[in-house]
Amino acid sequence: MSDHANTGYDEWLDAVAEGESYYLECENGHGSLPPRRVCPRCGATDLEETTLPETGEIETYTVVHVAAPSFADDVPYTTAIADFGPVRLTGVANDDVGVGTKVAAAVGETETAGERLLLFERR
């Protein structure tokens, strides 16, 4: 994988870490996350950075007990999908979340490799 493969996502994680979370919105009101050049729903090419709502709600989650080697030291961990209005985010959540839990987007780090990831914190 080239160094440029995650450029848009890395910049987005930087914005999350700085408290300036955003999503991309097309002229038809569809939301998506970077890196995108085209709306995945309608094909529009005029995408604008729009402030991400401060909180979202956990829609579903799963607790991982057996992980790939790149996450071996992180188990158990909870992977969750949270609804932030126009977009849904996938990230790692605190172990005490459930469906309907209010969360905010933050940036965390894996224990195994020290790589950044999207983290959901209870609100």
Side-chain angles (χ1 to χ4, degrees), residues 5 9 28 31 46 70-71 83 90 110 114 119 121:
Y9 182 72
N28 296 311
D46 186 19
S70 58
F71 291 96
D83 183 350
T90 301
T110 65
L119 179 68
E121 298 177 337

Side-chain angles (χ1 to χ4, degrees), residues 1-122:
M1 184 181 291
S2 75
D3 290 336
H4 301 290
N6 292 325
T7 300
Y9 182 72
D10 288 339
E11 290 170 356
W12 182 76
L13 278 180
D14 290 343
V16 172
E18 294 167 8
E20 299 175 3
S21 304
Y22 65 91
Y23 66 96
L24 300 176
E25 185 175 50
C26 75
E27 62 225 22
N28 296 311
H30 303 136
S32 61
L33 296 172
R36 295 268 188 206
R37 291 193 171 103
V38 175
C39 175
R41 290 186 58 197
C42 69
T45 57
D46 186 19
L47 304 178
E48 184 175 315
E49 289 184 9
T50 304
T51 303
L52 186 75
E54 288 186 26
T55 60
E57 187 174 298
I58 299 292
E59 287 190 329
T60 188
Y61 67 96
T62 188
V63 178
V64 178
H65 293 279
V66 179
S70 58
F71 291 96
D73 296 335
D74 293 277
V75 292
Y77 62 90
T78 302
T79 299
I81 297 174
D83 183 350
F84 278 79
V87 293
R88 287 181 178 83
L89 306 178
T90 301
V92 175
N94 297 331
D95 292 334
D96 59 349
V97 299
V99 172
T101 302
K102 299 285 186 204
V103 293
V107 176
E109 195 172 278
T110 65
E111 293 287 328
T112 308
E115 293 183 19
R116 295 187 316 160
L117 51 73
L118 184 64
L119 179 68
F120 294 133
E121 298 177 337
R122 285 181 72 97

